[in-house]
Amino acid sequence: MKERSKLLGFRKDIKVVDATLRDGGLVNDFYFTDEFVNDLYITNIKAGVDYMEFGYRGDKSMFDVNKFGKWKFCNDEDIRAIVGDNNTDLKIAIMADVGRCDYKNDIHDRSESPVDLIRVATYLHQLPTAIDIIEDSYKKGYETTCNIMALSNAQEGDLQVALDELGKSPVNTIYIVDSFGSLYPEQVARMADTFMEFAEKYDKKIGIHAHNNQQLAFANTIEAVGDGVDWLDGTYAEMGRGAGNCAMELLLGFLKNPKYNIYPAIEFVEKHMRKLKEDGIVWGYDLQYLMTGLLNQHPRTAIDFTKNKRTDYAEFYKEVVIHD
Protein backbone atom coordinates (compact mmCIF):
# COMPACT_ATOMS: atom_id res chain seq x y z
CA MET A 1 0.00 0.00 0.00
CA LYS A 2 1.40 3.37 -1.03
CA GLU A 3 1.88 6.04 1.58
CA ARG A 4 -0.89 8.56 0.99
CA SER A 5 1.53 11.37 1.87
CA LYS A 6 3.71 10.41 -1.11
CA LEU A 7 0.76 10.53 -3.51
CA LEU A 8 -1.37 13.32 -2.09
CA GLY A 9 0.97 15.44 0.01
CA PHE A 10 3.29 18.29 -0.91
CA ARG A 11 6.83 17.07 -1.61
CA LYS A 12 9.42 19.78 -1.96
CA ASP A 13 11.92 17.38 -3.53
CA ILE A 14 9.76 16.71 -6.61
CA LYS A 15 11.36 17.99 -9.83
CA VAL A 16 9.49 18.13 -13.14
CA VAL A 17 11.61 17.91 -16.29
CA ASP A 18 10.24 18.96 -19.69
CA ALA A 19 11.72 16.69 -22.41
CA THR A 20 9.56 17.97 -25.29
CA LEU A 21 12.39 19.35 -27.44
CA ARG A 22 14.67 16.38 -26.89
CA ASP A 23 12.33 13.39 -27.07
CA GLY A 24 9.89 15.22 -29.34
CA GLY A 25 12.79 16.15 -31.58
CA LEU A 26 13.20 12.49 -32.45
CA VAL A 27 9.85 12.75 -34.25
CA ASN A 28 10.61 15.78 -36.46
CA ASP A 29 14.43 15.67 -36.63
CA PHE A 30 14.53 18.61 -34.19
CA TYR A 31 13.07 21.11 -36.63
CA PHE A 32 11.22 23.37 -34.21
CA THR A 33 10.63 27.03 -34.95
CA ASP A 34 12.21 29.65 -32.72
CA GLU A 35 8.69 30.79 -31.82
CA PHE A 36 7.85 27.27 -30.62
CA VAL A 37 11.01 27.03 -28.50
CA ASN A 38 10.64 30.51 -27.06
CA ASP A 39 6.99 29.90 -26.17
CA LEU A 40 7.90 26.53 -24.65
CA TYR A 41 10.54 28.21 -22.48
CA ILE A 42 8.04 30.84 -21.29
CA THR A 43 5.38 28.18 -20.71
CA ASN A 44 7.72 26.13 -18.54
CA ILE A 45 8.50 29.19 -16.44
CA LYS A 46 4.80 30.01 -15.99
CA ALA A 47 3.90 26.39 -15.29
CA GLY A 48 6.57 26.06 -12.58
CA VAL A 49 8.50 23.32 -14.42
CA ASP A 50 11.91 22.80 -12.83
CA TYR A 51 14.10 21.81 -15.79
CA MET A 52 13.77 22.26 -19.56
CA GLU A 53 15.77 19.84 -21.71
CA PHE A 54 16.71 21.57 -24.96
CA GLY A 55 17.93 18.51 -26.87
CA TYR A 56 21.11 16.57 -27.50
CA ARG A 57 24.69 17.76 -27.59
CA GLY A 58 25.25 15.61 -30.69
CA ASP A 59 28.67 15.01 -32.20
CA LYS A 60 28.83 17.01 -35.45
CA SER A 61 31.43 14.63 -36.86
CA MET A 62 28.81 11.85 -36.64
CA PHE A 63 25.62 13.72 -37.54
CA ASP A 64 25.13 15.95 -40.59
CA VAL A 65 24.13 19.40 -39.35
CA ASN A 66 22.20 19.90 -42.60
CA LYS A 67 19.90 16.97 -41.86
CA PHE A 68 18.79 18.00 -38.39
CA GLY A 69 17.46 21.05 -36.61
CA LYS A 70 19.74 22.88 -34.22
CA TRP A 71 18.40 21.16 -31.10
CA LYS A 72 20.13 17.96 -32.16
CA PHE A 73 23.32 19.80 -31.22
CA CYS A 74 22.21 22.38 -28.65
CA ASN A 75 25.00 24.87 -29.14
CA ASP A 76 25.36 27.11 -26.12
CA GLU A 77 24.83 30.19 -28.26
CA ASP A 78 21.53 28.81 -29.64
CA ILE A 79 20.28 28.12 -26.13
CA ARG A 80 21.37 31.56 -24.95
CA ALA A 81 19.46 33.15 -27.85
CA ILE A 82 16.31 31.76 -26.24
CA VAL A 83 17.04 32.09 -22.52
CA GLY A 84 19.44 35.04 -22.35
CA ASP A 85 20.93 35.00 -18.85
CA ASN A 86 17.98 32.88 -17.70
CA ASN A 87 17.29 34.87 -14.56
CA THR A 88 14.45 32.51 -13.63
CA ASP A 89 13.87 29.47 -11.43
CA LEU A 90 13.80 27.24 -14.51
CA LYS A 91 17.04 25.31 -15.04
CA ILE A 92 18.39 24.30 -18.47
CA ALA A 93 19.35 20.74 -19.40
CA ILE A 94 20.85 18.94 -22.38
CA MET A 95 21.41 15.26 -23.06
CA ALA A 96 24.77 13.62 -23.71
CA ASP A 97 24.11 10.28 -25.43
CA VAL A 98 26.94 7.81 -24.82
CA GLY A 99 28.80 7.09 -28.06
CA ARG A 100 27.09 9.96 -29.89
CA CYS A 101 28.67 13.02 -28.29
CA ASP A 102 32.14 14.51 -28.09
CA TYR A 103 31.77 15.48 -24.46
CA LYS A 104 35.42 16.29 -23.83
CA ASN A 105 35.35 19.08 -26.41
CA ASP A 106 31.70 20.03 -26.90
CA ILE A 107 30.63 20.34 -23.26
CA HIS A 108 32.29 23.49 -22.01
CA ASP A 109 32.79 24.69 -18.46
CA ARG A 110 29.56 25.54 -16.66
CA SER A 111 30.81 29.11 -16.16
CA GLU A 112 30.77 29.59 -19.95
CA SER A 113 27.40 27.93 -20.62
CA PRO A 114 23.69 28.61 -20.03
CA VAL A 115 23.26 24.89 -19.24
CA ASP A 116 22.80 23.71 -15.65
CA LEU A 117 22.28 19.95 -16.06
CA ILE A 118 23.89 17.26 -18.23
CA ARG A 119 21.63 14.22 -18.66
CA VAL A 120 23.73 11.20 -19.62
CA ALA A 121 21.85 8.52 -21.57
CA THR A 122 23.41 5.05 -21.52
CA TYR A 123 22.80 1.37 -21.91
CA LEU A 124 24.17 -0.86 -19.16
CA HIS A 125 27.05 -2.12 -21.30
CA GLN A 126 28.17 1.49 -21.87
CA LEU A 127 28.31 2.36 -18.18
CA PRO A 128 32.08 3.00 -17.90
CA THR A 129 31.85 5.70 -20.58
CA ALA A 130 28.70 7.11 -18.96
CA ILE A 131 30.53 7.46 -15.66
CA ASP A 132 33.41 9.19 -17.44
CA ILE A 133 30.94 11.72 -18.92
CA ILE A 134 29.40 12.21 -15.47
CA GLU A 135 32.80 12.81 -13.89
CA ASP A 136 33.86 15.14 -16.70
CA SER A 137 30.61 17.14 -16.40
CA TYR A 138 30.87 17.27 -12.62
CA LYS A 139 34.42 18.66 -12.84
CA LYS A 140 33.14 21.29 -15.27
CA GLY A 141 30.55 22.40 -12.71
CA TYR A 142 27.29 20.75 -13.87
CA GLU A 143 24.54 18.83 -12.15
CA THR A 144 24.21 15.38 -13.70
CA THR A 145 21.71 12.58 -14.18
CA CYS A 146 22.24 9.12 -15.57
CA ASN A 147 19.34 7.76 -17.64
CA ILE A 148 19.71 3.98 -17.87
CA MET A 149 17.88 2.93 -21.03
CA ALA A 150 16.10 -0.32 -21.90
CA LEU A 151 15.77 -1.41 -18.28
CA SER A 152 13.05 -3.89 -19.22
CA ASN A 153 15.84 -6.02 -20.74
CA ALA A 154 18.25 -5.66 -17.82
CA GLN A 155 19.37 -8.59 -15.68
CA GLU A 156 18.85 -7.82 -12.00
CA GLY A 157 22.42 -8.66 -11.07
CA ASP A 158 23.83 -6.41 -13.79
CA LEU A 159 21.53 -3.59 -12.72
CA GLN A 160 22.62 -3.83 -9.10
CA VAL A 161 26.29 -3.67 -10.09
CA ALA A 162 25.53 -0.62 -12.26
CA LEU A 163 23.64 1.14 -9.48
CA ASP A 164 26.51 0.48 -7.09
CA GLU A 165 29.01 1.96 -9.54
CA LEU A 166 26.78 4.98 -10.18
CA GLY A 167 26.32 5.42 -6.46
CA LYS A 168 30.07 5.86 -6.09
CA SER A 169 30.13 8.45 -8.89
CA PRO A 170 29.25 12.16 -8.49
CA VAL A 171 25.93 11.74 -10.34
CA ASN A 172 23.01 13.54 -8.66
CA THR A 173 20.04 11.57 -10.02
CA ILE A 174 19.66 8.08 -11.51
CA TYR A 175 16.75 7.45 -13.89
CA ILE A 176 14.48 4.51 -14.44
CA VAL A 177 13.87 4.57 -18.21
CA ASP A 178 11.15 2.43 -19.79
CA SER A 179 12.55 2.79 -23.31
CA PHE A 180 10.22 0.27 -24.92
CA GLY A 181 7.06 1.23 -23.03
CA SER A 182 6.79 -2.39 -21.87
CA LEU A 183 6.70 -2.02 -18.08
CA TYR A 184 3.58 -2.25 -15.95
CA PRO A 185 3.08 -0.32 -12.70
CA GLU A 186 3.83 -3.31 -10.47
CA GLN A 187 7.13 -3.80 -12.34
CA VAL A 188 7.94 -0.12 -11.92
CA ALA A 189 7.24 -0.48 -8.19
CA ARG A 190 9.71 -3.36 -7.85
CA MET A 191 12.31 -1.52 -9.92
CA ALA A 192 11.83 1.64 -7.87
CA ASP A 193 12.46 -0.37 -4.69
CA THR A 194 15.80 -1.52 -6.09
CA PHE A 195 16.78 1.97 -7.20
CA MET A 196 15.71 3.53 -3.90
CA GLU A 197 17.86 1.07 -1.96
CA PHE A 198 20.97 2.37 -3.71
CA ALA A 199 19.74 5.97 -3.61
CA GLU A 200 19.49 5.83 0.17
CA LYS A 201 22.88 4.13 0.45
CA TYR A 202 24.65 6.76 -1.65
CA ASP A 203 22.41 9.82 -1.09
CA LYS A 204 21.14 10.04 -4.68
CA LYS A 205 17.81 11.02 -6.18
CA ILE A 206 15.79 8.75 -8.48
CA GLY A 207 13.90 9.78 -11.62
CA ILE A 208 11.58 8.15 -14.16
CA HIS A 209 11.24 8.57 -17.93
CA ALA A 210 8.29 6.61 -19.30
CA HIS A 211 7.05 5.77 -22.81
CA ASN A 212 3.41 5.32 -23.74
CA ASN A 213 3.35 2.18 -25.91
CA GLN A 214 0.72 0.58 -23.66
CA GLN A 215 -0.84 3.87 -22.53
CA LEU A 216 0.91 3.48 -19.18
CA ALA A 217 3.41 6.35 -19.22
CA PHE A 218 1.34 8.48 -16.84
CA ALA A 219 0.31 5.50 -14.71
CA ASN A 220 3.91 4.35 -14.39
CA THR A 221 5.05 7.86 -13.53
CA ILE A 222 2.54 8.32 -10.72
CA GLU A 223 3.30 4.79 -9.52
CA ALA A 224 6.92 5.89 -9.21
CA VAL A 225 5.87 9.02 -7.32
CA GLY A 226 4.14 6.81 -4.77
CA ASP A 227 7.34 4.78 -4.46
CA GLY A 228 9.39 7.86 -3.56
CA VAL A 229 10.78 8.75 -7.00
CA ASP A 230 11.29 12.52 -7.17
CA TRP A 231 12.41 13.45 -10.71
CA LEU A 232 9.60 13.16 -13.23
CA ASP A 233 9.87 13.58 -17.01
CA GLY A 234 7.01 14.79 -19.17
CA THR A 235 6.41 16.20 -22.63
CA TYR A 236 3.62 18.46 -23.84
CA ALA A 237 0.83 16.48 -25.51
CA GLU A 238 3.09 13.45 -24.79
CA MET A 239 5.25 14.32 -27.83
CA GLY A 240 8.15 11.90 -28.09
CA ARG A 241 9.69 9.07 -30.02
CA GLY A 242 7.12 6.60 -31.26
CA ALA A 243 4.26 6.32 -28.79
CA GLY A 244 5.47 9.36 -26.88
CA ASN A 245 5.92 10.00 -23.18
CA CYS A 246 4.07 10.94 -20.03
CA ALA A 247 1.94 13.97 -20.92
CA MET A 248 3.11 17.10 -19.11
CA GLU A 249 -0.44 18.37 -18.72
CA LEU A 250 -1.46 15.13 -16.98
CA LEU A 251 1.54 15.32 -14.68
CA LEU A 252 1.04 18.97 -13.73
CA GLY A 253 -2.62 18.28 -13.05
CA PHE A 254 -1.75 15.40 -10.75
CA LEU A 255 0.98 16.94 -8.60
CA LYS A 256 -0.16 18.53 -5.36
CA ASN A 257 2.43 21.26 -5.32
CA PRO A 258 1.08 24.82 -5.57
CA LYS A 259 4.14 25.88 -7.58
CA TYR A 260 2.85 23.93 -10.61
CA ASN A 261 0.22 25.51 -12.85
CA ILE A 262 -1.56 23.52 -15.55
CA TYR A 263 -3.17 26.48 -17.33
CA PRO A 264 -0.04 27.62 -19.27
CA ALA A 265 0.41 24.00 -20.37
CA ILE A 266 -3.11 23.90 -21.77
CA GLU A 267 -2.52 27.18 -23.61
CA PHE A 268 0.71 25.85 -25.15
CA VAL A 269 -0.88 22.60 -26.29
CA GLU A 270 -3.74 24.53 -27.86
CA LYS A 271 -1.43 26.93 -29.69
CA HIS A 272 1.41 24.67 -30.78
CA MET A 273 0.89 20.95 -30.36
CA ARG A 274 -2.34 20.73 -32.32
CA LYS A 275 -0.65 22.63 -35.16
CA LEU A 276 2.25 20.17 -35.27
CA LYS A 277 -0.18 17.31 -35.75
CA GLU A 278 -2.13 19.27 -38.35
CA ASP A 279 1.18 19.82 -40.18
CA GLY A 280 1.66 16.05 -40.39
CA ILE A 281 4.02 15.32 -37.49
CA VAL A 282 3.02 11.91 -36.15
CA TRP A 283 3.50 10.56 -32.63
CA GLY A 284 1.46 8.93 -29.90
CA TYR A 285 -0.19 5.64 -29.02
CA ASP A 286 -1.18 3.36 -31.87
CA LEU A 287 -1.47 -0.38 -32.40
CA GLN A 288 2.02 -0.82 -33.85
CA TYR A 289 3.56 0.69 -30.71
CA LEU A 290 1.34 -1.43 -28.50
CA MET A 291 2.72 -4.52 -30.24
CA THR A 292 6.39 -3.67 -29.74
CA GLY A 293 5.64 -2.68 -26.15
CA LEU A 294 3.88 -5.98 -25.44
CA LEU A 295 6.82 -7.87 -26.92
CA ASN A 296 9.40 -5.73 -25.10
CA GLN A 297 11.01 -4.71 -28.39
CA HIS A 298 12.67 -1.51 -29.50
CA PRO A 299 10.03 0.52 -31.39
CA ARG A 300 12.16 0.98 -34.53
CA THR A 301 10.01 -1.44 -36.53
CA ALA A 302 6.85 0.36 -35.41
CA ILE A 303 8.43 3.70 -36.32
CA ASP A 304 9.13 2.39 -39.83
CA PHE A 305 5.56 1.09 -40.03
CA THR A 306 4.32 4.57 -39.17
CA LYS A 307 6.64 6.37 -41.59
CA ASN A 308 5.52 4.08 -44.40
CA LYS A 309 1.87 4.87 -43.57
CA ARG A 310 1.04 1.21 -43.27
CA THR A 311 -2.31 0.14 -41.82
CA ASP A 312 -1.97 -3.65 -42.05
CA TYR A 313 -1.69 -4.08 -38.29
CA ALA A 314 -2.37 -7.83 -38.26
CA GLU A 315 0.40 -8.47 -40.79
CA PHE A 316 2.77 -6.29 -38.78
CA TYR A 317 1.93 -8.27 -35.65
CA LYS A 318 2.91 -11.50 -37.41
CA GLU A 319 6.19 -9.86 -38.51
CA VAL A 320 7.22 -8.71 -35.06
CA VAL A 321 6.15 -11.96 -33.36
CA ILE A 322 8.21 -14.01 -35.81
CA HIS A 323 11.28 -11.86 -35.13
CA ASP A 324 10.77 -11.71 -31.38
Side-chain angles (χ1 to χ4, degrees):
M1 182 70 70
K2 298 287 178 291
E3 292 183 30
R4 290 177 65 86
S5 62
K6 287 184 177 179
L7 284 171
L8 298 177
F10 168 82
R11 279 168 55 191
K12 64 180 179 62
D13 290 336
I14 289 285
K15 302 295 181 187
V16 173
V17 180
D18 167 37
T20 305
L21 285 185
R22 201 271 308 164
D23 216 318
L26 296 169
V27 178
N28 67 348
D29 290 331
F30 304 90
Y31 285 111
F32 295 99
T33 66
D34 289 346
E35 179 191 16
F36 181 99
V37 178
N38 187 68
D39 284 359
L40 180 59
Y41 171 66
I42 293 170
T43 296
N44 282 324
I45 294 169
K46 291 180 177 178
V49 170
D50 299 283
Y51 290 82
M52 176 175 170
E53 186 179 41
F54 269 72
Y56 290 96
R57 184 61 58 88
D59 186 346
K60 293 178 183 177
S61 69
M62 294 181 67
F63 300 101
D64 187 343
V65 296
N66 297 310
K67 293 183 178 179
F68 297 94
K70 56 190 170 186
W71 306 114
K72 175 75 171 178
F73 308 100
C74 279
N75 296 329
D76 284 340
E77 55 269 27
D78 289 329
I79 298 174
R80 205 178 293 281
I82 300 294
V83 308
D85 292 329
N86 190 34
N87 295 317
T88 75
D89 292 332
L90 176 67
K91 292 188 175 183
I92 306 304
I94 60 171
M95 180 163 279
D97 201 353
V98 172
R100 298 179 179 183
C101 65
D102 181 8
Y103 60 96
K104 296 284 189 183
N105 297 307
D106 290 343
I107 296 178
H108 309 120
D109 286 348
R110 169 69 186 85
S111 60
E112 303 169 9
S113 172
V115 175
D116 302 286
L117 169 68
I118 306 296
R119 295 188 1 133
V120 180
T122 185
Y123 292 104
L124 280 177
H125 70 275
Q126 300 170 314
L127 192 66
T129 303
I131 290 176
D132 193 58
I133 299 175
I134 289 164
E135 291 175 344
D136 181 74
S137 300
Y138 172 77
K139 290 174 184 176
K140 290 173 179 175
Y142 294 96
E143 301 172 49
T144 56
T145 72
C146 185
N147 295 32
I148 308 176
M149 298 183 288
L151 281 173
S152 55
N153 282 338
Q155 299 294 318
E156 186 173 351
D158 293 341
L159 177 59
Q160 290 181 339
V161 170
L163 291 173
D164 199 50
E165 291 300 308
L166 284 169
K168 298 170 186 175
S169 81
V171 74
N172 301 102
T173 303
I174 307 169
Y175 261 81
I176 299 166
V177 182
D178 183 15
S179 300
F180 303 159
S182 63
L183 295 178
Y184 295 97
E186 58 268 26
Q187 293 173 295
V188 170
R190 291 197 297 270
M191 196 166 287
D193 285 345
T194 300
F195 274 66
M196 292 301 294
E197 176 185 341
F198 286 90
E200 291 167 5
K201 178 180 179 180
Y202 290 107
D203 192 25
K204 307 295 184 183
K205 293 293 184 182
I206 302 301
I208 183 166
H209 180 89
H211 279 263
N212 207 37
N213 296 62
Q214 300 186 82
Q215 295 191 327
L216 290 172
F218 177 57
N220 285 337
T221 299
I222 62 174
E223 168 66 41
V225 172
D227 297 321
V229 171
D230 286 327
W231 283 56
L232 314 172
D233 283 15
T235 63
Y236 288 90
E238 70 183 42
M239 185 183 188
R241 186 203 63 193
N245 305 101
C246 174
M248 179 66 77
E249 54 275 17
L250 284 172
L251 185 57
L252 294 176
F254 166 78
L255 293 171
K256 306 305 184 290
N257 185 331
K259 72 169 286 190
Y260 298 121
N261 182 3
I262 192 175
Y263 184 68
I266 293 170
E267 286 187 307
F268 183 82
V269 170
E270 177 184 342
K271 179 179 178 181
H272 287 288
M273 306 312 289
R274 288 178 62 244
K275 185 177 186 305
L276 286 180
K277 290 208 167 187
E278 289 168 359
D279 290 344
I281 306 300
V282 179
W283 75 87
Y285 170 81
D286 207 338
L287 280 175
Q288 64 269 30
Y289 295 117
L290 165 65
M291 295 174 204
T292 59
L294 283 171
L295 295 168
N296 192 21
Q297 294 180 1
H298 192 287
R300 61 176 61 91
T301 54
I303 292 170
D304 286 341
F305 180 98
T306 306
K307 286 182 177 179
N308 292 328
K309 299 182 179 180
R310 290 175 60 182
T311 56
D312 53 335
Y313 298 104
E315 182 63 28
F316 178 72
Y317 181 71
K318 289 190 289 184
E319 293 171 9
V320 292
V321 167
I322 290 171
H323 291 96
D324 187 34

